[in-house]
Every structure is written in C-alpha cells, then in structure tokens.
C-alpha cells in the first residue's frame, strides 16, 4: 500500500491501494477492488465502487456514497448513503455523521 502525504486537486479517481494523509480538494472515487485508508481530508464527496474498501479515520466533508463496497467510518462525514444491496457500512460509535443519510 502506498502512503500519500500531499494535497491532490480533485476530482480524483483512486486506482491503487493508498493510505492518504493529505487533502483532496474536491471529490474522489474509489475504484473497484481498491483499498483506501483515509487519515486526511476529502473536501467533497467520496464514491465507493462495488468491491472497494474505504477505512475513513479522517474527514469526508461531503457524502460517502457506497455503491457496493465496504466502508468503515471512524472519523467524520457529512452523510453516508448506501446505493446497493451489496454495500456494507460500519459506523464506529465514536464517529461523527453530520447530516442525514441512509446507512444500513
């Protein structure tokens, strides 16, 4: 897994396994079969494709759209929306979900 310690101009398609410690200035899409560990910030929405795995320890300033992957939220997000029956979303009791969404 590659560690990224810089800021990225979004929107960004994440196509390799990364641990992100910087900031994405727009939205991001986590491509199928890819793993993201977010310690930093995504300033827009995060779209998680089928089969992808996102571990959010940092902040997603927008919504997380889970399209059939696995999302583990330990940090903060505006909202989480599952848009597929295959979506798995785990929200830690200490995590913060600011807006309304439909996590199941």
């Amino acid at each position: 897994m590659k560690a990224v310690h810089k800021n990225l101009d979004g929107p960004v398609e994440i196509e390799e396994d990364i641990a992100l410690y910087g900031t994405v200035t727009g939205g991001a899409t986590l491509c199928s079969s890819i793993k993201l560990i977010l310690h930093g910030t995504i300033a827009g929405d995060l779209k998680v494709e089928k089969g992808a795995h996102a571990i959010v320890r940092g902040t997603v300033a927008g919504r997380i759209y889970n399209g059939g992957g696995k999302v583990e939220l330990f940090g903060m997000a505006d909202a989480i929306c599952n848009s597929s029956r295959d979506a798995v979303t785990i929200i830690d009791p200490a995590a913060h979900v600011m807006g309304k969404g439909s996590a199941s």
Side-chain angles (χ1 to χ4, degrees):
M1 177 172 287
K2 178 179 174 181
V4 177
H5 293 272
K6 62 182 180 178
N7 295 336
L8 305 172
D9 292 326
V12 173
E13 284 198 14
I14 300 170
E15 298 177 323
E16 64 180 322
D17 294 347
I18 65 168
L20 178 62
Y21 294 87
T23 299
V24 176
T25 58
T29 299
L30 184 59
C31 296
S32 183
S33 302
I34 301 299
K35 183 175 184 177
L36 165 69
I37 302 175
L38 177 66
H39 295 278
T41 301
I42 295 177
D45 295 333
L46 172 62
K47 296 177 183 170
V48 179
E49 293 184 350
K50 186 173 183 171
H53 184 186
I55 300 171
V56 179
R57 298 191 176 279
T59 301
V60 176
R63 291 177 175 258
I64 299 173
Y65 293 96
N66 188 346
K70 182 175 182 180
V71 174
E72 298 178 64
L73 179 65
F74 298 95
M76 186 182 312
D78 182 52
I80 300 176
C81 300
N82 291 336
S83 59
S84 168
R85 291 182 187 256
D86 296 327
V88 175
T89 299
I90 300 167
I91 302 173
D92 187 80
H96 297 282
V97 180
M98 309 308 280
K100 294 185 178 188
S102 57
S104 30

